[in-house]
Amino acid sequence: TYGNGLFVTVGHSGTIDTSLDGNSWKRNGGPGHNAPTVTSYHLYGVTYGNGTFVTVGYSGTILTSTDGTIWTETTSGTDHRLLGVTYGNGLFVVVGYRTILTSPDGNSWTKRNAGRRRDLKGVTYGNGLFVTVGKSGTILTSSDGNSWTSRTNGTKNIIYGVTYGNGLFVTVGWLGTILTSSDGTTWTERTPEPIRRRHLRGVTYGNGLFV
């Protein structure tokens, strides 16, 4: 993710790397670093909002930082794996295995009803709407992060990534799944044939282009 003049990426065994320019990187956590390890759990998602970086991972791990260097573990209230995090409309939203958590500041978290069988992989915010995606073609939407509505989309494939840009939500997933929606409610499959069998795990928007 990017925020406050800093790129931050996270990964295996608590790894946290930061960069001012995207070329030179400093390791702030994980194997081979000099600073104290905040967590040994794998980290899967990171975002920036309201002056705070938030990263999430296995066993309910949530870490926060204002500068990307000093990280503090917060109590999530769950031991489920957490895979996605976003910020929008004054609210952080975290998703994972049977889990949706919300927080206004990244420190105090509230559990929301994700449904017993929801295995959620990614989440984004755009046009006044949170959208989270996951296993078996799951797509849920919420305007406030509290109440979530399941959306029909025509696929049973795992959906891993979701983003918003240029008036459009785009999701990607298993077997080349690509779905788009202008409102988060009605979804259309856009999968090009050459990548029909490729597993897609992430998607973003910038400079007029979805990648």
Side-chain angles (χ1 to χ4, degrees), residues 34-206:
N34 296 321
T37 300
V38 180
T39 181
S40 60
Y41 288 115
H42 303 336
L43 301 173
Y44 284 92
V46 61
T47 196
Y48 180 82
N50 194 29
T52 302
F53 293 98
V54 176
T55 180
V56 301
Y58 260 36
S59 293
T61 298
I62 298 180
L63 310 178
T64 65
S65 175
T66 57
D67 61 5
T69 299
I70 300 173
W71 293 82
T72 303
E73 187 166 8
T74 67
T75 301
S76 65
T78 182
D79 60 359
H80 289 167
R81 62 178 178 267
L82 306 176
L83 300 180
V85 56
T86 194
Y87 180 83
N89 196 29
L91 197 69
F92 290 99
V93 175
V94 170
V95 300
Y97 178 68
R98 297 183 179 180
T99 302
I100 297 176
L101 306 173
T102 64
S103 172
D105 57 11
N107 295 309
S108 178
W109 295 89
T110 302
K111 292 181 181 180
R112 305 301 183 182
N113 183 15
R116 293 194 313 166
R117 297 184 180 179
R118 305 296 188 189
D119 190 356
L120 303 172
K121 308 293 186 181
V123 61
T124 195
Y125 179 83
N127 196 29
L129 197 69
F130 293 99
V131 176
T132 181
V133 299
K135 194 173 182 179
S136 301
T138 296
I139 297 179
L140 308 177
T141 65
S142 174
S143 59
D144 59 7
N146 182 10
S147 301
W148 294 82
T149 302
S150 180
R151 302 300 182 182
T152 301
N153 55 75
T155 184
K156 293 298 182 181
N157 292 334
I158 302 172
I159 306 174
Y160 280 102
V162 58
T163 195
Y164 179 84
N166 196 30
L168 200 67
F169 292 98
V170 176
T171 72
V172 300
W174 212 241
L175 295 175
T177 297
I178 299 176
L179 306 171
T180 67
S181 174
S182 60
D183 59 7
T185 300
T186 303
W187 293 84
T188 303
E189 189 170 5
R190 305 289 186 185
T191 309
E193 192 62 32
I195 63 168
R196 177 66 69 175
R197 299 184 63 82
R198 306 292 185 179
H199 299 328
L200 307 176
R201 293 183 180 270
V203 59
T204 193
Y205 178 84

